[in-house]
Amino acid sequence: MLYVKNLYKSYQSGSKSYNVLKGIDLSVADEEFVAVMGPSGSGKSTLLNCISCYIPFEQGTITLGGQELKGLGENDLAKIRNEKLGFVFQDFMLLDGLTVRENILVPKIIQGKVDKKAERLADQLLELFGIEHIGEKYPADVSGGERQRTAVARSLINQPLLILADEPTGNLDSKSGRAVIEAFENARNKLGASVFMVTHDSFAASFCDRVILLKDGTVYDTLKAEPGSGEEKQRAFQDRLLDAIREMSSVKTR
């Protein structure tokens, strides 16, 4: 569903050029929950910005739902961002003057398509993520975890091909972070959503189907969760992740 092939991205500073992404290859399948981890400066945020086409890249291809994104005009890209991609940010990015329910409907408001079908879906999302009781409250009146679950619901209102999540648990305590990850799991299991998440949080990543480790702009390793479910499986995957991260940190870059 998402295919990134041979992706290169560099930044220019004065006369110097700095390579940030160096031939990245990865994919996300339908209904898959994938995380990207790596140290600061490994290229995680740059990769996310390239996939969303907020920044250009020099070489490679990004294909979403069979459509190549490079070379599209700004109007076409804006349509893809609003209709085929959902976004969840670390800082929630909710509108303070709108209720929780209205925030969920913002992508439909932008499209001018707030019809009965959209209203019903918003109510279903409120119930699915356990925030129906705060639907008429404003962001300032609810907890951080509830705000982030609102952001996850908003990302799904257009039934996108892919949700891009940038450090979604970064500003949350462990209990709220767990609730947000469960919201992603519900989106995948009950709505067929695909999620691509950038995170520093090994606990959050341990709930994913796969975790891609980036180091110095390249894919260092990919870890796949064992089949099954439950806390024991999740803890075992987190242990494997932590071991792989320690090993990656100990390998010197040539």
Side-chain angles (χ1 to χ4, degrees), residues 145-165:
E146 289 168 335
R147 276 178 273 174
Q148 195 61 297
R149 278 182 279 164
T150 300
V152 176
R154 178 188 58 195
S155 75
L156 287 159
I157 194 67
N158 278 335
Q159 298 173 293
L161 293 175
L162 180 67
I163 296 173
L164 298 176

Side-chain angles (χ1 to χ4, degrees), residues 112-176:
K113 295 181 179 179
V114 184
D115 53 18
K116 290 183 179 180
K117 182 180 178 181
E119 297 271 6
R120 285 196 299 270
L121 180 55
D123 291 336
Q124 290 169 6
L125 292 169
L126 284 164
E127 183 177 358
L128 177 63
F129 298 134
I131 50 175
E132 67 273 18
H133 62 291
I134 60 166
E136 299 308 314
K137 292 186 177 182
Y138 292 88
D141 301 322
V142 303
S143 70
E146 289 168 335
R147 276 178 273 174
Q148 195 61 297
R149 278 182 279 164
T150 300
V152 176
R154 178 188 58 195
S155 75
L156 287 159
I157 194 67
N158 278 335
Q159 298 173 293
L161 293 175
L162 180 67
I163 296 173
L164 298 176
D166 188 6
E167 300 285 359
T169 62
N171 284 337
L172 303 176
D173 59 36
S174 59
K175 182 179 178 180
S176 297

Side-chain angles (χ1 to χ4, degrees), residues 89-219:
F89 304 97
Q90 181 175 350
D91 295 323
F92 318 130
M93 303 296 285
L94 301 178
L95 299 176
D96 292 335
L98 299 181
T99 65
V100 162
R101 188 173 185 275
E102 289 167 341
N103 266 285
I104 292 171
L105 285 163
V106 160
K108 290 294 187 185
I109 294 170
I110 291 171
Q111 292 178 321
K113 295 181 179 179
V114 184
D115 53 18
K116 290 183 179 180
K117 182 180 178 181
E119 297 271 6
R120 285 196 299 270
L121 180 55
D123 291 336
Q124 290 169 6
L125 292 169
L126 284 164
E127 183 177 358
L128 177 63
F129 298 134
I131 50 175
E132 67 273 18
H133 62 291
I134 60 166
E136 299 308 314
K137 292 186 177 182
Y138 292 88
D141 301 322
V142 303
S143 70
E146 289 168 335
R147 276 178 273 174
Q148 195 61 297
R149 278 182 279 164
T150 300
V152 176
R154 178 188 58 195
S155 75
L156 287 159
I157 194 67
N158 278 335
Q159 298 173 293
L161 293 175
L162 180 67
I163 296 173
L164 298 176
D166 188 6
E167 300 285 359
T169 62
N171 284 337
L172 303 176
D173 59 36
S174 59
K175 182 179 178 180
S176 297
R178 174 70 176 263
V180 169
I181 294 303
E182 288 175 351
F184 284 127
E185 289 189 309
N186 281 336
R188 187 263 310 277
N189 296 335
K190 297 182 180 180
L191 298 176
S194 303
V195 184
F196 187 69
M197 175 177 71
V198 166
T199 184
H200 281 98
D201 184 354
S202 63
F203 178 76
S206 67
F207 289 87
C208 294
D209 301 308
R210 282 189 298 125
V211 178
I212 299 167
L213 299 181
L214 289 191
K215 181 176 183 178
D216 299 323
T218 63
V219 174

